[in-house]
Amino acid sequence: MQRLFLVSLPRRLFLPLLMVVLSCTFSVATAEAKVCHLVVIADTNDKTIGQSVDIDQRNVTGVFRENVARNQLSVQTLSGNEVRKSRILSTIQNVNRRMSKEDTLIVYLAGHGAEDRRLGHYFELSSGEKMLRNDVLRSMNSKDVRLKVLITDTCSVFKRLKAAASYAQPQSTNTTSAAFVSLCWKPAGEIDMSACSSGEFSMGDNISGGYFTSQLVNYLDRNRSREVSWGQLFRSVKQSTAQVFREKNPRGVPGPDGETQRTQTPIARLDMDSGDSGGGSSTGPRFGVRVINSSGRGVLITEVLRGTPGTQVNVAGLSGPVSLEAGDRIVSINGRRIDSESDYARAVDDSGQAMDFEVINKRDGRTYRASVRLTR
């Protein structure tokens, strides 16, 4: 699966959505009352990547069945001819509406995708339909629940291998593992995780599936007996995905723009009330500023979370810290031009604790230089 950047050069993406909530401080009796709702969408009809996507689908559902108690797990899978835009969105909405307020919703989607600089990331379904990532996020907001997680593994370049993967049927469990308790029921908020950054291919094969998804599943399986945070998970999976990419592609791969891609860099937005980002947040509590792609310069701020660094910004020429506002535009970070949500997420993620940026004020249209101290 490859990522396709429509404005410059087309690149294909595989976009799996995964929304997960974890918890570790509750007693078994308390955790029993909560349910993790997992929706897995696998575009297995694609003739090129269908087998690799099917491996990802089985690996994701398998690790949840082996780690979350039967009475705390609800799994719904869409694959083959079921993968159509209307079916996907209505399924997520219906699952969301049936959930209790303290439940967790996790949506995972694997297949092809692309990115448009104005509309953002979208999915290219084998049915011929296009589905915006934002449409999926909106369908997850039919009802307010404790934690919503979207994980996407698209933009995965398929590599044909001779051997086929063997698969053992997962064994359901009666008890939820420590890792899944801490991940599914401790934090509250939203998580949006993607397998690669804008402009990159997300790689995979038909032996282990997508590099990103296989490392995600391996991490969950390896750490099932201990408490972990989403930030720890993302930081580890990000590092191991890049390592696997380099091991399997020591000379890199030809990129969509003709240049050689040397790595694969997952990105994530971790917006959680617990503040437990573990250093993995790209556009969440680390800065607390949510943005969307825009037809104008930079990215458009849609929300600034209370109590986050985005409310304590130092602006050149002004005395005392001020808060950014919805409608302001961020045009550069640490000297790097920001043209998309992916540019923004990567720049915040790569920044040290002190971050310099330029922002266009919505009130007077002027560009200001600003600085902020990020969390962790």
Side-chain angles (χ1 to χ4, degrees), residues 283-284 287-291 301 303-305 308-311 324 330 344:
T283 62
F287 189 18
V289 178
R290 296 177 179 175
V291 304
I301 295 176
E303 183 179 4
V304 181
L305 302 180
T308 62
T311 64
L324 296 173
I330 295 177
Y344 171 73

Side-chain angles (χ1 to χ4, degrees), residues 251-265:
R251 297 183 179 180
V253 297
D257 55 3
E259 297 183 0
T260 300
Q261 179 180 323
R262 301 290 183 184
T263 189
Q264 179 179 327
T265 311

Side-chain angles (χ1 to χ4, degrees), residues 36-322:
C36 177
H37 297 264
L38 173 65
V39 180
V40 177
I41 303 149
D43 199 354
T44 55
N45 272 0
D46 189 282
K47 295 180 180 179
T48 306
I49 62 172
Q51 185 175 355
S52 179
V53 167
D54 187 50
I55 292 170
D56 289 338
Q57 169 192 212
R58 289 180 289 168
N59 285 341
V60 169
T61 55
V63 76
F64 274 84
R65 292 190 189 280
E66 292 173 347
N67 286 276
V68 181
R70 290 186 183 92
N71 63 336
Q72 290 185 274
L73 178 64
S74 173
V75 179
Q76 185 148 354
T77 301
L78 299 179
S79 61
N81 294 333
E82 298 173 316
V83 181
R84 302 188 64 87
K85 180 179 178 179
S86 60
R87 180 72 180 273
I88 292 170
L89 298 181
S90 64
T91 296
I92 296 172
Q93 288 171 351
N94 290 336
V95 169
N96 188 205
R97 288 168 182 156
R98 293 197 303 267
M99 295 171 62
S100 298
K101 191 171 183 179
E102 289 300 308
D103 288 352
T104 295
L105 173 62
I106 302 170
V107 180
Y108 172 89
L109 189 152
H112 275 306
E115 187 165 332
D116 181 89
R117 283 193 177 274
R118 184 174 63 88
L119 299 176
H121 184 257
Y122 64 89
F123 306 101
E124 292 184 308
L125 306 179
S126 59
S127 63
E129 300 170 298
K130 306 292 190 296
M131 181 174 66
L132 291 176
R133 186 185 192 95
N134 284 335
D135 288 340
V136 177
L137 290 169
R138 279 192 289 269
S139 71
M140 297 169 68
N141 288 317
S142 301
K143 183 177 182 180
D144 188 24
V145 295
R146 181 178 183 84
L147 181 63
K148 292 171 281 189
V149 181
L150 168 62
I151 297 179
T152 66
D153 196 346
T154 43
C155 197
S156 177
V157 177
F158 182 80
K159 300 172 70 176
R160 293 187 179 275
L161 300 177
K162 294 182 179 180
S166 59
Y167 180 73
Q169 188 68 24
Q171 298 298 312
S172 296
T173 180
N174 291 319
T175 60
T176 301
S177 68
F180 277 72
V181 171
S182 64
L183 286 173
C184 291
W185 292 292
K186 181 179 179 180
E190 297 181 6
I191 297 172
D192 188 357
M193 195 177 298
S194 182
C196 63
S197 297
S198 180
E200 293 182 346
F201 289 147
S202 181
M203 304 292 290
D205 57 46
N206 63 350
I207 295 296
S208 57
Y211 296 171
F212 168 78
T213 296
S214 65
Q215 295 308 303
L216 173 66
V217 171
N218 287 344
Y219 179 90
L220 292 171
D221 192 48
R222 191 171 63 248
N223 294 281
R224 65 174 63 190
S225 62
R226 69 184 186 93
E227 296 178 0
V228 296
S229 70
W230 278 107
Q232 291 169 331
L233 178 151
F234 176 69
R235 187 168 60 247
S236 177
V237 172
K238 177 181 178 180
Q239 182 178 356
S240 60
T241 298
Q243 181 178 347
V244 170
F245 179 98
R246 290 190 293 268
E247 289 174 352
K248 295 194 174 186
N249 306 279
R251 297 183 179 180
V253 297
D257 55 3
E259 297 183 0
T260 300
Q261 179 180 323
R262 301 290 183 184
T263 189
Q264 179 179 327
T265 311
I267 57 175
R269 172 172 60 84
L270 311 181
D271 289 344
M272 295 176 291
D273 291 344
S274 67
D276 184 19
S277 66
S281 174
S282 294
T283 62
R286 189 165 196 237
F287 189 18
V289 178
R290 296 177 179 175
V291 304
I292 59 173
N293 292 333
S294 171
S295 56
R297 288 180 60 200
V299 289
L300 181 67
I301 295 176
T302 59
E303 183 179 4
V304 181
L305 302 180
R306 288 182 298 175
T308 62
T311 64
Q312 297 290 316
V313 172
N314 296 307
V315 178
L318 300 181
S319 59
V322 299

